[in-house]
Amino acid sequence: FGFMTVRNYLYIIRKTCRPGVGDALLIGWNLAVIMAMHAVWMVGPGRRFHLQSIKGMFAGLVDAGCRRLAEAFVGSTAIAQSSTNPTTCATGLRTPALSIPNIGKDGGRLRRVLFVTNRLENGGAELMLLALVQKLVGLNIQPFVLCLKDAGPLAAQCRDSGVPVFDGFLRHKFDASVIPRIRRLILSEKIDVVVAAHSGGDRMFWSTLAAKLTGTPMLVWSHWFPLPGQNHFERSNRALFRFVDAFVALGERHRAALIRHEQVPAGRITVIPNAIDLDRFPKGQSRPDARRALDLSDDQIAVAIIANLRREKRHDVFIAAAKTLSKENPSLRFFIIGDGPHRDAVHSLVASSGLAPEVLRLLGPRDDVPTLLSGIDISCLCSEQECFSVTMLEAA
């Protein structure tokens, strides 16, 4: 009883928390109090049971320490062996497996990371993923991108950067055969870590199961800020929390919300804020060129919303504001930049606003946003639910 008390207690703490010095002292105090209680109870009946419990607690402490050392040794040995052990090749993939060596530029082992998403479209999370994998190529890490659906418009940029893109794995929502297909890809490319590039959905569910089958560490990179009563993790994905090694939040408030509203284990959440690549932004006098591209005169004020055309981005608020403010200030010019599943609804709102095309313009998806921003005076964010806006970082 004493052995299992200590062994299970420390096991649960290690799997769910990252205790600091103060936490370790508190854990030690708790165990010391339990031992002291057994010592006191030894003066009464059941002396043998309490003595065995104390011995068992000491044995549990020793066992937990030995297991921790063994796991650390076995983990490092497994990593070393994975670079030399042959594995079977993947078959039936739309994009063939590529032969990429396991040796990095500095002679060290090349880490191989598989990012799983739905498709590479022009959205904030997808653009952040594209920027990340392009940077990882030069950091002794070989990224791979798996699109469960079709590859999407950003796939060409990925491949041009030396990042293999696989697509077409999920034939329909309940296609369980996607698990062995992902498993074969993980084994054939000797993947070290699998990352679901968004919280919840098919990308997390199927990739977590495949990673579990291969014993590959699993990470979930969350881009959604949960609100009370608006959970983003489905019940099926909540059941898989135990198989996820780490969750990545974009800020401390995001981390707190994941704990409070999504019941994500606090000890498995790491905060990595969003960032932008400043090299994408033009240097020097780019404002005149951007103003000409937007067909703006010097006395006009450019106001823009740069966001996917989705319901939560609240383009209806932006259009209503444009309708009101254009009457007060004729020099204002409004731009909607982006594309998405609700484009028809947004186009309908623009048409019914009564604003002239030169006052409110739909620019659609653009690849030159960093250049256009220098010609825009005001950037708006109307979202009712937002985690860490990349648009606001770029505008700033």
Side-chain angles (χ1 to χ4, degrees):
F1 178 77
F3 176 85
M4 296 307 296
T5 297
V6 172
R7 179 69 182 86
N8 290 345
Y9 180 46
L10 296 180
Y11 175 82
I12 292 170
I13 288 174
R14 184 167 61 86
K15 287 294 185 180
T16 60
C17 307
R18 292 180 180 173
V21 176
D23 300 315
L25 292 174
L26 181 60
I27 292 167
W29 171 259
N30 290 338
L31 296 178
V33 167
I34 295 174
M35 288 183 182
M37 292 170 66
H38 280 296
V40 170
W41 290 333
M42 283 175 60
V43 302
R47 177 181 303 176
R48 183 179 178 183
F49 167 76
H50 294 299
L51 178 60
Q52 288 178 336
S53 292
I54 292 175
K55 291 181 179 179
M57 290 182 72
F58 277 111
L61 286 169
V62 173
D63 181 81
C66 291
R67 284 178 179 270
R68 186 68 181 271
L69 290 173
E71 287 176 2
F73 174 76
V74 171
S76 61
T77 304
I79 290 175
Q81 291 176 343
S82 67
S83 64
T84 57
N85 287 353
T87 56
T88 57
C89 292
T91 57
L93 308 179
R94 179 172 296 184
T95 301
L98 303 179
S99 177
I100 296 177
N102 278 0
I103 304 300
K105 296 178 180 179
D106 59 357
R109 183 173 179 274
L110 193 69
R111 298 297 177 185
R112 304 162 81 87
V113 184
L114 177 65
F115 293 90
V116 182
T117 186
N118 282 336
R119 71 190 298 265
L120 290 170
E121 56 190 6
N122 286 296
E126 292 79 9
L127 289 169
M128 183 61 65
L129 173 59
L130 174 62
L132 174 62
V133 296
Q134 289 175 330
K135 286 293 184 182
L136 289 178
V137 171
L139 298 176
N140 221 29
I141 296 173
Q142 176 57 55
F144 300 79
V145 177
L146 166 59
C147 298
L148 293 179
K149 301 178 182 178
D150 62 292
L154 299 179
Q157 296 183 50
C158 251
R159 291 177 175 130
D160 291 344
S161 303
V163 179
V165 178
F166 303 86
D167 69 330
F169 271 52
L170 188 65
R171 295 162 183 163
H172 54 81
K173 188 169 183 63
F174 302 104
D175 181 17
S177 63
V178 70
I179 298 176
R181 284 195 287 273
I182 298 176
R183 178 181 177 275
R184 287 197 298 270
L185 176 61
I186 292 173
L187 293 176
S188 68
E189 296 296 347
K190 302 181 178 66
I191 299 298
D192 295 304
V193 181
V194 177
V195 182
H198 213 307
S199 49
D202 295 328
R203 52 195 164 254
M204 175 182 170
F205 183 77
W206 300 116
S207 60
T208 300
L209 292 176
K212 178 63 177 177
L213 288 175
T214 58
T216 308
M218 181 69 200
L219 277 70
V220 173
W221 181 16
S222 179
H223 298 270
W224 185 266
F225 194 94
L227 298 175
Q230 296 185 17
N231 295 330
H232 194 56
F233 288 102
E234 305 84 354
R235 289 184 179 181
S236 56
N237 278 310
R238 288 173 183 275
L240 300 180
F241 279 0
R242 70 191 70 183
F243 301 141
V244 178
D245 296 272
F247 294 82
V248 177
L250 304 184
E252 290 298 336
R253 290 183 66 243
H254 185 204
R255 178 181 183 273
L258 288 175
I259 297 169
R260 183 179 304 113
H261 304 309
E262 299 282 11
Q263 290 79 53
V264 175
R268 300 188 193 180
I269 304 178
T270 297
V271 175
I272 305 177
N274 276 342
I276 55 175
D277 182 5
L278 296 179
D279 293 337
R280 295 176 57 236
F281 293 82
K283 305 293 191 295
Q285 299 295 322
S286 58
R287 180 174 170 83
D289 296 334
R291 300 284 288 187
R292 280 193 294 271
L294 294 169
D295 196 20
L296 292 168
S297 61
D298 293 339
D299 61 335
Q300 291 174 334
I301 302 171
V303 185
I305 178 171
I306 306 170
N308 268 356
L309 304 185
R310 292 185 176 138
R311 185 176 291 108
E312 68 270 11
K313 299 297 184 180
R314 296 306 303 268
H315 288 83
D316 58 324
V317 173
F318 181 82
I319 295 169
K323 188 174 180 179
T324 300
L325 294 174
S326 60
K327 298 175 182 177
E328 302 176 6
N329 191 339
S331 65
L332 290 172
R333 294 294 181 267
F334 299 90
F335 300 90
I336 296 177
I337 302 175
D339 197 6
H342 288 88
R343 75 174 65 83
D344 292 341
V346 173
H347 282 232
S348 178
L349 286 172
V350 170
S352 61
S353 69
L355 295 174
E358 63 270 13
V359 176
L360 176 59
R361 291 162 55 187
L362 288 156
L363 299 186
R366 298 288 293 249
D367 296 327
D368 57 347
V369 169
T371 301
L372 294 180
L373 278 170
S374 59
I376 292 171
D377 302 295
I378 301 171
S379 185
C380 295
L381 183 69
C382 303
S383 304
E384 62 184 12
Q385 193 167 1
E386 192 76 44
C387 192
F388 193 151
S389 172
V390 177
T391 295
M392 290 296 101
L393 281 179
E394 292 181 336

